[in-house]
Amino acid sequence: MLPLPSSEPSAQIEVAAAGEVLRERHQQPFSVLYLDSGRVLMGVREEGVMRHQLGVVEGPTWLDAATALLDQPSAVDIVADTRVQLRRVPLEDFRRGLEQLPESAQILLRDMATGYCRQTELAVSRLAQDAEARCAQWLLRHAQSDDSGSLRVTLQQRKRLIAAQLGIAPETLSRVLRQLREHGLISGTGNVLSLPQPRALRMVAGG
């Protein structure tokens, strides 16, 4: 139902090598990507690596038409998994083509795009929650009681090594720890962290 870029003279044909980033999360694009051939990965990159893969797409297909329809930034990173050929259709030209469709078709496409974007945002949100749960579990597992009965965790390893144990990027670990601190679930400075609300932390851990 979407107008194909093969009939759009302004579409720019490009070739990208495997590993090339085609679209970044939170990026507000000025064009819409159509994959002629090849395979791409969709997910969440951290420190230049696709840490969480949400899907694999093969051409021919639109890659980010849903977010373009709703004028939203990309919810995922899009990376070439193989050598790909794609076209970049200017956003205004893409929307002009949509306006030529019957109104009923436009409404249907917007409804489908809204559902797709919500599902994608939910999947990305669950990834963040999963990272919080793993971090909370690790803190509780390594907690020890001090003389007053309070729980403390001594970080005897570098955060990079701890992050590797949890299967997340170091920047993700730092972000999660910051969020836990802001919610009053951990406190302290340096290598010793206090757990003032272990019951609440167990809820984050899923227990």
Side-chain angles (χ1 to χ4, degrees), residues 37-52:
S37 61
R39 184 174 64 246
V40 304
L41 304 178
M42 294 186 174
V44 177
R45 295 167 63 247
E46 293 175 348
E47 293 193 333
V49 178
M50 185 69 82
R51 297 286 184 184
H52 306 286

Side-chain angles (χ1 to χ4, degrees), residues 36-95:
D36 281 326
S37 61
R39 184 174 64 246
V40 304
L41 304 178
M42 294 186 174
V44 177
R45 295 167 63 247
E46 293 175 348
E47 293 193 333
V49 178
M50 185 69 82
R51 297 286 184 184
H52 306 286
Q53 183 177 313
L54 295 177
V56 180
V57 179
E58 294 189 3
T61 185
W62 290 98
L63 293 180
D64 54 355
T67 50
L69 267 168
L70 303 177
D71 194 26
Q72 294 181 1
S74 178
V76 296
D77 295 304
I78 303 177
V79 180
D81 189 40
T82 65
R83 180 181 180 275
V84 300
Q85 178 176 305
L86 54 92
R87 301 167 192 250
R88 294 183 186 268
V89 181
L91 196 55
E92 291 186 0
D93 295 340
F94 175 77
R95 290 174 177 167

Side-chain angles (χ1 to χ4, degrees), residues 16-196:
E20 187 170 336
V21 179
L22 307 178
R23 186 75 79 212
E24 294 183 347
R25 286 181 67 210
H26 309 309
Q27 179 182 5
Q28 188 73 50
F30 297 100
S31 61
V32 189
L33 298 179
Y34 184 85
L35 182 65
D36 281 326
S37 61
R39 184 174 64 246
V40 304
L41 304 178
M42 294 186 174
V44 177
R45 295 167 63 247
E46 293 175 348
E47 293 193 333
V49 178
M50 185 69 82
R51 297 286 184 184
H52 306 286
Q53 183 177 313
L54 295 177
V56 180
V57 179
E58 294 189 3
T61 185
W62 290 98
L63 293 180
D64 54 355
T67 50
L69 267 168
L70 303 177
D71 194 26
Q72 294 181 1
S74 178
V76 296
D77 295 304
I78 303 177
V79 180
D81 189 40
T82 65
R83 180 181 180 275
V84 300
Q85 178 176 305
L86 54 92
R87 301 167 192 250
R88 294 183 186 268
V89 181
L91 196 55
E92 291 186 0
D93 295 340
F94 175 77
R95 290 174 177 167
R96 193 178 302 117
L98 290 175
E99 292 171 356
Q100 297 174 5
L101 296 175
E103 184 177 356
S104 59
Q106 294 185 45
I107 293 174
L108 174 61
L109 287 173
R110 289 186 181 278
D111 287 346
M112 294 173 64
T114 299
Y116 171 83
C117 289
R118 285 177 179 171
Q119 289 295 322
T120 303
E121 292 169 359
L122 178 61
V124 173
S125 174
R126 283 177 174 170
L127 289 176
Q129 292 173 0
D130 183 50
E132 287 184 354
R134 277 182 279 173
C135 186
Q137 291 167 4
W138 188 93
L139 289 169
L140 290 168
R141 191 165 58 247
H142 291 80
Q144 295 181 338
S145 298
D146 59 15
D147 295 338
S148 65
S150 301
L151 292 180
R152 291 186 177 183
V153 176
T154 301
L155 304 181
Q156 299 177 342
Q157 298 175 312
R158 291 182 176 273
K159 288 184 179 179
R160 182 175 297 275
L161 295 177
I162 297 173
Q165 294 176 24
L166 298 175
I168 60 178
E171 64 179 20
T172 301
L173 175 61
S174 297
R175 174 176 55 79
V176 170
L177 290 176
R178 183 171 63 252
Q179 291 172 344
L180 294 176
R181 189 183 300 275
E182 290 172 353
H183 287 88
L185 300 182
I186 63 173
S187 62
T189 57
N191 293 331
V192 179
L193 299 178
S194 298
L195 310 183

